[in-house]
Amino acid sequence: MIVYKFGGASVKDANGIRNLEKIVSEEKDNLLIVVSAFGKTTNALEKVLKAWISGDDRYKEMLDDIYSYHLSVAEELFPSGNSAKSKIDISFAKLEEYLNTSKKAGYDFEYDQVVSCGEIWSTTIVAEFLKNKGLNAEWIDIRGNLITDDRFRDADILWSESTARIQSVFNFRDKDIYVTQGFIGSTIAGQTTTLGREGSDYTAALLANMLDAEKVVVWKDVPGLLNADPKWLSDAVRLEEVSYREAVEMTFSGAKVIHPKTIKPLQNKNISLHVKSFLAPGEKGTVIKPDTVLKHGLPVFIKKENQIMISILPKDFSFAMGENLSRIFYLFIQHGIKVNIVEASAISIDVCIDDDRIKVESLIEDLKAEFSAAYNENVEMLSIRHYTPEAIERITKGREILLEQRTRSTVRYVVRKA
Ligand code: ASP
Ligand code: MG
């Protein structure tokens, strides 16, 4: 069997879903389709959540807009008899009822209960459409099957609990196609969780691993993995083959085409990952697979925006290494903050992290007991894999460099935002 993943951009309107159907109907193998929320629905739901949490009743209008959006897509797809409508209606009504009646629990918990709905609605419409087109497809609620811990908003998979369930539900005994949600899961107790923003790629990889898929295809609005973001460097070119290792390095450094967590579950089972354009499904795209060497010899440029650089100094002037280092990183883990780059000198440590203001402020608060901590906002991390002097010159020229780190294969800079 094969796993296909369609992201929000590929299913943002009725035409996108018609295109999905065309791509899917050409696949002869058994197919598991993982779908994200339509277009920018996840962002819109985050706004609903924020308004609701802060007691702002305008969340209701925002939710109405999201409802109308989904309804209009469904109406365009099902001109005679909208088989998705009653399902969507029930799901929206449930969410409204929840928002009207529930006592508000913690932010992360509520986030998952509300924001996860986008994937339920999108997959419901996609599955109905495929069935209407005569495909032998079934909609599966991934909750109750993909089991996670209760770290809401960034849940970790419970592998043994999930694998058995996933293998039994996606058995292809009397279906050729399953449609299910990316990004979401549930605890053993049945509470909905999410796996982190843009987590649908990760879901596709997890399911591929558990089901021993032949390959995963991620359908994107770009022709594959490129050696730079073309919005940044317009002469970017497609990479034909990339090793798992290279792909992990690229995504960790900030390449946005696939989620950084996607590679591990695939590498562990030797499953190849194909990144292809849903706009040109006949084109080759990029294949990520074991031990291929980058043939092109091109530098790969990666930019990670919206970073904060924190400089940490032990107050008692003790060395930053050893125990201090482990205490500092323990605090990062406790606050759920991922470190993108670390540079340590005798008594100071510089760390670059994503600019998540709420998390950063509470981290700094905790650090201040033992350390003095200052931070630089509005910085970016630039990385070059397989760098050359020209490549370095190209992206650092005229930039204020706050930190530089070089290995044989990679150079990274933290620079102030241009
Ligand atoms: N819909 C979710 C998000 O936008 C998950 C995903 O797209 O992968 O973050
Ligand atoms: Mg999305």
Side-chain angles (χ1 to χ4, degrees):
M1 54 84 60
I2 290 172
V3 179
Y4 274 7
K5 183 261 169 170
F6 289 91
S10 67
V11 289
K12 66 178 191 314
D13 52 24
N15 271 338
I17 295 167
R18 289 190 194 106
N19 184 49
L20 175 153
E21 191 271 333
K22 257 197 3 237
I23 292 173
V24 163
S25 61
E26 268 160 34
E27 180 59 69
K28 298 285 167 281
D29 230 307
N30 284 340
L31 201 57
L32 168 53
I33 308 174
V34 174
V35 184
S36 303
F38 286 174
K40 301 267 180 253
T41 302
T42 306
N43 293 351
L45 283 168
E46 284 184 345
K47 290 196 182 117
V48 168
L49 175 84
K50 283 195 179 122
W52 175 69
I53 290 262
S54 64
D56 179 349
D57 265 351
R58 275 175 299 182
Y59 82 81
K60 291 180 181 161
E61 292 150 43
M62 298 178 193
L63 197 55
D64 283 346
D65 289 345
I66 301 174
Y67 173 73
S68 309
Y69 169 36
H70 284 78
L71 195 63
S72 74
V73 173
E75 266 161 6
E76 206 184 319
L77 289 173
F78 312 106
S80 52
N82 184 343
S83 57
K85 184 172 187 300
S86 63
K87 293 183 175 137
I88 297 288
D89 283 351
I90 292 168
S91 175
F92 267 91
K94 257 207 220 151
L95 177 59
E96 277 163 0
E97 151 116 0
Y98 180 81
L99 295 172
N100 273 326
T101 57
S102 106
K103 288 212 206 76
K104 291 164 197 162
Y107 180 82
D108 291 349
F109 173 81
E110 298 298 1
Y111 181 100
D112 288 0
Q113 310 318 303
V114 175
V115 174
S116 58
C117 292
E119 268 68 12
I120 300 294
W121 304 324
S122 66
T123 51
T124 300
I125 294 173
V126 168
E128 283 305 311
F129 186 67
L130 297 184
K131 285 194 263 178
N132 276 18
K133 285 281 170 184
L135 297 176
N136 185 20
E138 186 179 352
W139 178 86
I140 300 284
D141 192 337
I142 200 80
R143 296 168 302 178
N145 294 303
L146 190 65
I147 307 297
T148 71
D149 63 8
D150 60 359
R151 190 180 179 106
F152 296 99
R153 207 149 81 91
D154 191 20
D156 271 325
I157 304 303
L158 302 185
W159 278 84
S160 56
E161 286 81 350
S162 300
T163 305
R165 289 172 166 86
I166 293 294
Q167 286 173 353
S168 104
V169 68
F170 299 109
N171 58 40
F172 294 100
R173 232 169 269 144
D174 42 38
K175 295 288 167 201
D176 307 323
I177 299 174
Y178 292 104
V179 178
T180 198
Q181 307 78 38
F183 176 56
I184 73 176
S186 75
T187 63
I188 276 272
Q191 286 171 320
T192 303
T193 53
T194 65
L195 310 180
R197 281 304 307 265
E198 308 301 333
S200 299
D201 294 344
Y202 182 45
T203 303
L206 290 168
L207 299 180
N209 175 302
M210 293 173 191
L211 296 166
D212 285 310
E214 264 156 65
K215 64 176 179 183
V216 174
V217 184
V218 173
W219 295 95
K220 306 284 303 185
D221 56 1
V222 289
L225 284 185
L226 307 184
N227 79 324
D229 178 347
K231 286 185 213 119
W232 177 31
L233 304 177
S234 58
D235 57 352
V237 295
R238 179 177 61 89
L239 307 173
E240 204 149 306
E241 286 187 358
V242 169
S243 68
Y244 291 133
R245 169 85 200 273
E246 188 69 39
V248 170
E249 296 284 356
M250 285 173 68
T251 56
F252 182 82
S253 300
K256 286 194 209 85
V257 178
I258 44 173
H259 192 283
K261 282 156 93 176
T262 311
I263 304 300
K264 182 176 185 296
L266 300 178
Q267 187 278 341
N268 292 172
K269 286 271 180 89
N270 251 323
I271 300 166
S272 62
L273 173 62
H274 300 242
V275 180
K276 291 176 64 128
S277 166
F278 60 79
L279 302 167
E283 311 264 293
K284 270 180 145 175
T286 299
V287 188
I288 300 164
K289 57 183 205 180
D291 305 324
T292 156
V293 198
L294 278 182
K295 291 192 197 94
H296 52 72
L298 280 174
V300 177
F301 299 89
I302 309 134
K303 174 155 75 171
K304 208 170 169 88
E305 296 173 305
N306 301 321
Q307 299 292 296
I308 291 189
M309 191 170 100
I310 311 185
S311 302
I312 304 161
L313 231 91
K315 277 187 181 157
D316 63 359
F317 228 70
S318 57
F319 293 128
M321 292 295 171
E323 260 189 43
N324 275 328
L325 204 53
S326 74
R327 269 212 300 285
I328 290 168
F329 282 106
Y330 179 71
L331 283 175
F332 277 90
I333 293 165
Q334 270 197 322
H335 286 266
I337 295 179
K338 292 178 186 111
V339 171
N340 299 325
I341 187 170
V342 191
E343 182 70 36
S345 75
I347 56 159
S348 84
I349 298 173
D350 293 318
V351 170
C352 220
I353 58 178
D354 293 349
D355 185 352
D356 182 331
R357 212 43 70 89
I358 303 169
K359 285 184 178 172
V360 171
E361 269 159 21
S362 74
L363 168 77
I364 299 265
E365 213 34 58
D366 279 1
L367 277 169
K368 279 193 169 153
E370 290 175 73
F371 306 94
S372 71
Y375 62 89
N376 267 297
E377 303 167 280
N378 292 324
V379 303
E380 299 177 341
M381 191 171 95
L382 308 179
S383 310
I384 314 173
R385 302 267 304 151
H386 321 291
Y387 57 87
T388 61
E390 299 73 36
I392 291 175
E393 165 80 4
R394 180 167 184 199
I395 62 166
T396 58
K397 201 171 168 196
R399 305 296 299 266
E400 183 187 347
I401 296 171
L402 304 173
L403 190 157
E404 174 176 345
Q405 203 172 64
R406 238 182 241 238
T407 66
R408 262 195 304 174
S409 57
T410 310
V411 59
R412 285 191 217 282
Y413 297 94
V414 176
V415 297
R416 212 173 287 285
K417 200 175 157 210

